[in-house]
Amino acid sequence: MSKAARTPRSRPVFLNLARITLPVGALTSIGHRLSGVLLATGVPALLYLLQRSLGGEAGFVEATALLSQPLVRIFLVALAWALAHHMLAGIRHMLTDMDVGSALGNARRSAWGVNLAALAIAVLAAGAVL
Amino acid sequence: MKRGPTGLPAWLVQRASAVYLLLFLVFVLASFALVPVHSQAEWLQWLARPGMRLALAVFFAALLAHMWVGLRDVLLDYAQPVRIRPYLLIGLAAGLCGLAVWAGFILLRMPA
């Protein structure tokens, strides 16, 4: 191994974030992860709402009132995007597992489809909730 | 040190749970879209359908198993330094077990 290969400083370092462009499938993949973590934060909230909604008429009214608070509404729109993206990217992933649409051209088209459809669903959710 | 499914079993758990979650969520969303729930009476009636308690129990089991594999992957990929990783994984497992107990408690007290 030459000295240049062993010295990290000689590697081409290129960390200008503004100039790094990701392939569309990478955005789908990162979005799948981000949306999964976001959805996980919604699970305790879901359990809390379910518990409140079962505890007497007042609890149900309180749970629905909680859902109409401004910050909670924004969280709901974020969760709608996350759920849409996670489900669509998950379906795409499982189809790829079965070798459906894993050729590069199809994979890129479906990645665009997932990213845009999830955003469209988020816009619809924002229209319904905000 | 193996905690919960790893490798091929994890892959299978992730996909089997994904399929159930997908089907159940489509059913729930379609159901609320077709017949909106406006009062607690309607909500309790919705929950009291035959098989709903079982379907919800399987839903929470699938959800927590899915969360374990996914969040574990996130920790294995990003948690640094590596020596804190076991503690984070134990914390995650404990948190998910807590959610499982909570969900079980809610389902047991759910009026039939």
Side-chain angles (χ1 to χ4, degrees):
Chain A
M1 201 187 280
S2 72
K3 189 167 188 286
R6 273 186 284 118
T7 312
R9 282 171 60 167
S10 68
R11 286 183 193 157
V13 176
F14 187 74
L15 286 175
N16 182 348
L17 291 181
R19 295 188 62 186
I20 292 177
T21 54
L22 293 172
V24 63
L27 290 176
T28 309
S29 177
I30 291 170
H32 199 174
R33 237 178 202 194
L34 267 175
S35 59
V37 172
L38 190 59
L39 286 170
T41 66
V43 172
L46 174 74
L47 282 173
Y48 176 75
L49 283 175
L50 180 59
Q51 187 174 38
R52 292 310 306 266
S53 75
L54 295 174
E57 186 70 40
F60 181 83
V61 171
E62 218 173 301
T64 47
L66 201 60
L67 283 178
S68 56
Q69 285 186 8
L71 277 177
V72 177
R73 285 176 185 218
I74 293 170
F75 185 49
L76 283 178
V77 173
L79 284 181
W81 168 78
L83 187 60
H85 190 93
H86 207 78
M87 283 167 95
L88 292 172
I91 292 168
R92 175 175 176 270
H93 206 104
M94 286 193 284
L95 289 174
T96 306
D97 284 349
M98 293 184 286
D99 218 9
V100 175
S102 52
L104 187 57
N106 290 333
R108 284 211 175 121
R109 274 187 287 278
S110 65
W112 275 110
V114 166
N115 296 352
L116 295 178
L119 286 175
I121 289 170
V123 170
L124 288 179
V129 169
L130 296 179
Chain B
M1 257 192 321
K2 275 184 83 172
R3 290 189 194 86
T6 59
L8 183 62
W11 186 90
L12 281 173
V13 165
Q14 194 74 328
R15 275 141 187 89
S17 58
V19 170
Y20 183 83
L21 293 172
L22 188 64
L23 295 176
F24 187 74
L25 285 172
V26 167
F27 158 73
V28 170
L29 292 175
S31 164
F32 288 145
L34 291 174
V35 187
V37 169
H38 296 297
S39 68
Q40 193 188 27
E42 287 173 2
W43 172 229
L44 293 180
Q45 208 178 354
W46 189 89
L47 288 172
R49 288 171 187 219
M52 190 54 89
R53 197 195 302 261
L54 178 64
L56 278 172
V58 177
F59 169 75
F60 283 119
L63 183 64
L64 291 166
H66 198 84
M67 285 168 77
W68 165 251
V69 180
L71 293 174
R72 170 186 152 277
D73 282 350
V74 169
L75 287 181
L76 292 184
D77 283 351
Y78 307 127
Q80 294 284 349
V82 171
R83 66 174 181 280
I84 66 166
R85 203 179 273 169
Y87 303 104
L88 294 175
L89 288 172
I90 290 171
L92 172 62
L96 292 179
C97 287
L99 290 178
V101 169
W102 190 11
F105 185 69
I106 293 173
L107 288 178
L108 282 177
R109 295 203 324 173
M110 197 173 90

